[in-house]
Each structure stands twice: as C-alpha cells, then as structure tokens.
Amino acid sequence: MLATTPDFSKARALVVGDVMLDRYWSGKAARISPEAPVPVVQIKTIEDRVGGAANVALNIAKLGGKVTLLGVVGDDEEGRIVKRLLEAAGVVCDLIVEKSVRSICKLRIVAQHQQLIRVDFEETPIEFAQSGLVSRLSQHLPQNDVVVFSDYGKGTLSHVQQHIHQAKQLAVKVLVDPKGIDYRRYAQADLITPNWSEFQAVMGICENEEDLVIKGRELINTYQIPNLLVTRGEAGMTMLQKDQAHSISAQAKDVFDVTGAGDTVIAVLAACVAICMDWYDAMYLGNLAGGIVVGKLGTSTVTIAELTRAMHGDKDSQYGLVSEAELIPLIARAKANGEKIIMTNGCFDLLHVGHVTYLEQAKALGDRLCIAVNSDESVRKLKGESRPINRLQERMTVLAALTCVDWVVPFSEETPENLYCNVLPDVIVKGGDYRPEQVAGGDCVINAGGEVKILPFVEGQSTTAMINKSQPVWSTNKA
C-alpha cells in the first residue's frame, strides 16, 4: 500500500471527449404548484460546473497534473463558460468551436439537496468536427504520456478507433471511459473503465465473482485490451488482466451523489499512469477518490489533501492535511467552540528534535495547532536548488503524524502573509530572534485581536546541520 500520495506535477495528460456544462439551480421547495402537482422551487443560487470530458481534465488539474482538453463546443455562452472555468484551474483548452451547434448543457434543479429534475440541452452527433479532432490530436499526443477518451455518446468520439490507433503509434497510454455496447471501437486501448451495468450490457449478466472474471477475460481477449477496471458501486472495483484479478471494496461511507464519479476515477488513474505507477496502486487511489467524490453534491473534484486523508483512514476527519479553503471553516468552527488557534510556518524539510520541541511548545499556547508549510518551489527560492530534500506531500504527512499537530496546510508564496490574513488565527508563533512586527501576517492577526509570540530555538538543532552531518567524509591520506 502507498505510504504517501504521489507527486503528480510531472504527469502530462491529454483528455479527449464530450465536453459539457453542468448547471445547478438550487433553492427551496415549500409548496405545490396550483397549476400542476409539481413542487415550486424558489431559486436562490445558480452555479456552473464543467462536466463530461471537461470534468476529467479538471480532476487531473486539481491533482497537480498538466492537462490539455480537446473537444467540441458551440459558439455560445455555455461554451465560453466551460473554457473560462477550465482555464482558471490551469487546464489548457483546445476546443473546436462549431457555430452550427449548441454546447451541451445539463441543467439540474435542486431543492433541499435533492435533485428534482434534469433538463438537457444538446445537439448530437458532432460528426463534422472529426477532421479537426484528428489533426489536433496528432499535435498534442507527442507532448503527453497518457490520453483519456471520455465517451458520453454525444458524437465527439464517433471515430475513437482511429484516435486510439494514432495514440498507439506514438506509444501513448490509452484509457477509455466507454459508452454503448460496441466495444470493438475501443480495441487495443490500454484500459477501459465500464461501470457494472455497462459491463453486463456488453458481456451478459454476472451471477457471481467467478462470472465477472470469466466474462472480463473474454472481453480482454476479444478486444485486445490488457487492463479492465469494472466499477461496481457499493461493491467497489475489480481490476482484471489476462492472468490476474483483484477486487477492492468501496470507500464511501454514505453515498450522496454519483454524478461525475466515473470522471474522477479515470482522472486519478490517468494521473497515476502518466507517472508510471503500478496499475493496482492506481486502482487503489482511484477507488479512494471515487469514495470521496460521491459524498459531494453534484459534479465534483478531489484534492491531494482529501486523498491523503483517505489513505490514512480518516476521510471525514477534521484533522490532518487540509487546503486553505478547507481550513477556513474548520478554524471558524473551532473558534465558535471557544478553542484558541495557534499557527506557525516553515519548510520543515528534515524534521528534527528542535522542530518537535518547538511545535509542542507552540501547541501548549492554545487548543489547536496548524502548521503552514512552504511549497517545493518556495523552498527552492528560499534555500537554493538543492532543497527541499523531501517534497511537500512527504513533509506535510510527517508533520500531520505528530500528536501536537491538528492541521497542516500548504502555501506557495515566499511568506504565509496572505494565508494568515485569510484564516486569522489567534496566535502566530515564530522561532528565533524575530521581533513581533517582523513576522509576516502579524499585522493582520494583531489588528483582528490576535497576537504574535516568539519562541527560542533548541540550541544545536538545524536542518542544515543534519544535511552537513550526513555528507560522506573522504580521506585524503595516502598510504
């Protein structure tokens, strides 16, 4: 089992498929219409999220991977919204704009966290975009390690067999989220991910696990697809290969909404494959991600922090690794309960007894201790190109294991000033010979009624000293 979440920053993925906009109108339904026996929803919020292949790309970007999306949209507001949302998240968009079609949009009306109706706006198939897809695919494939074909049956991938051939010629790994019952279209893909009902529609009803294995290997042999991942809802997942089969149970405690869960699973698998991870480790992380995302309402993504917490068995915990967005409500809740929040920051590259002593002293000043940790890039700016020794996820995981630490949050700037000003802890703690007015973010915290405290370092303890001590000593004595 993996000890830490992988570093996906070197993953290069291309996503091709049906691009959609998922629109949510949410409000309260308190009465029945006098015109017909239907609820009347008073809309309070309107939210747009990306769906289909766009959601796959967004999930990869949220994991830190470099991702390009290739698809088709109309020359309309919905298409422009999809592009804007994706680019804001770091997705490179190469979208073919077809003036004669409208972008696919799924409108969901929600009341009291329940979906009442879905209204789809779409025009299919999108046949006339195929020549553009082939040429653009040829341009993008050489720059990527893996390509995901996200097929929702809307026409974008009507020539997917040709696209798979293009990718295989360049030795790019091919992952497919399939649609329909003609799997000849996906022949020679490296992996396909049908769900339970999709698999049985193609291969027939499976009465038990043995049936699944037999029919799965028949599919593998028939279509020359070496890896088959069947997602089975509450029963988990099964990975089948020519001579191996492995099942894992579902991680979701309570299923709220399965919308887009398959997108998240294949996105995690793609990111893992792009950095040459083992198929079974990729399935393990994909299963964790699927369990997280079904607990969210609507089309959603999974963060590295959420994956890490799930790996350590505390998916729903209020402790451990968190993002800034997750930290803010946690601190607000703790303050509402009368708890005093302490924060400190640093690189914490090689954890030593000085760090531990300092953090224990900091925790003693209040009820909750949160550590802000420099990103790898900010450490390099501060310490030089040879640092950090340990990457961000590893440094954060070690810190989160300390009993005195409640939360660990990353920041990418050279100082955590913006972070401190956003979350406003009760006390900022720094070690060494700082003066309170020199501490980044101290002004914000003090103006909000907090304080800054300086604690002494433990003499003789430093990361630099540890690094120097570990260097080999070569004797220059001659015999």
Side-chain angles (χ1 to χ4, degrees), residues 303-366:
T303 66
I304 285 289
E306 289 172 324
L307 263 184
T308 303
R309 290 201 299 275
M311 284 175 62
H312 294 283
D314 56 350
K315 177 174 69 70
D316 297 321
S317 173
Q318 294 181 358
Y319 300 88
L321 279 61
V322 295
S323 66
E324 180 177 340
E326 293 169 324
L327 179 63
I328 291 172
L330 289 174
I331 285 183
R333 191 180 310 155
K335 284 186 174 183
N337 291 332
E339 295 176 302
K340 188 175 184 179
I341 311 301
I342 314 299
M343 281 192 74
T344 189
N345 65 278
C347 301
F348 297 98
D349 196 3
L350 294 176
L351 200 63
H352 51 69
V353 67
H355 288 138
V356 176
T357 301
Y358 164 75
L359 294 175
E360 288 176 339
Q361 291 174 346
K363 178 60 177 284
L365 298 173

Side-chain angles (χ1 to χ4, degrees), residues 25-249:
W25 289 1
S26 302
K28 184 177 181 181
R31 62 191 179 93
I32 300 298
S33 170
E35 303 163 359
V38 294
V40 175
V41 182
Q42 185 177 2
I43 300 299
K44 296 293 186 181
T45 62
I46 296 175
E47 182 182 8
D48 289 328
R49 303 182 190 181
V50 296
N55 189 39
V56 177
L58 182 62
N59 270 273
I60 295 173
K62 291 293 186 180
L63 294 172
K66 297 176 177 63
V67 58
T68 300
L69 174 66
L70 178 56
V72 182
V73 295
D75 185 14
D76 48 37
E77 184 61 20
E78 287 81 5
R80 288 185 282 275
I81 289 172
V82 167
K83 189 171 188 288
R84 184 170 67 247
L85 290 173
L86 289 169
E87 289 181 340
V91 177
V92 176
C93 294
D94 188 0
L95 300 176
I96 298 172
V97 178
E98 286 289 350
K99 296 182 181 297
S100 58
V101 303
R102 68 176 302 164
S103 299
I104 299 170
C105 178
K106 297 179 179 179
L107 169 62
R108 296 172 174 90
I109 299 177
V110 180
Q112 284 88 23
H113 301 290
Q114 295 291 323
Q115 186 179 147
L116 300 183
I117 191 170
R118 193 181 93 182
V119 182
D120 289 3
F121 303 89
E122 64 183 65
E123 294 174 8
T124 57
I126 312 173
E127 287 287 348
F128 36 80
Q130 293 308 315
S131 60
L133 278 173
V134 170
S135 62
R136 296 190 190 197
L137 188 60
S138 296
Q139 294 171 18
H140 291 299
L141 281 171
Q143 284 77 50
N144 289 280
D145 306 300
V146 61
V147 57
V148 177
F149 293 109
S150 178
D151 195 350
Y152 274 76
K154 306 302 182 184
T156 308
L157 294 176
S158 58
H159 294 201
V160 67
Q161 193 166 31
Q162 180 181 352
H163 304 329
I164 291 173
H165 182 66
Q166 286 179 267
K168 299 300 287 185
Q169 283 186 315
L170 295 172
V172 177
K173 292 288 187 183
V174 175
L175 279 61
V176 178
D177 190 355
K179 193 74 172 179
I181 59 174
D182 182 10
Y183 278 18
R184 290 176 300 176
R185 306 170 62 237
Y186 309 123
Q188 299 185 333
D190 292 284
L191 171 81
I192 60 172
T193 61
N195 62 36
W196 185 234
S197 61
E198 289 169 338
F199 176 77
Q200 292 188 105
V202 174
M203 301 305 297
I205 299 298
C206 296
E207 299 291 347
N208 49 44
E209 195 89 9
E210 184 179 356
D211 276 357
L212 169 60
V213 173
I214 292 171
K215 293 178 186 295
R217 287 189 175 143
E218 181 184 343
L219 186 153
I220 285 172
N221 293 329
T222 301
Y223 302 111
Q224 300 176 59
I225 299 171
N227 302 283
L228 167 66
L229 179 69
V230 182
T231 56
R232 304 168 60 189
E234 67 231 16
M237 296 180 178
T238 297
M239 173 78 81
L240 291 167
Q241 296 168 322
K242 187 174 182 180
D243 55 358
Q244 294 187 65
H246 186 58
S247 296
I248 51 178
S249 59

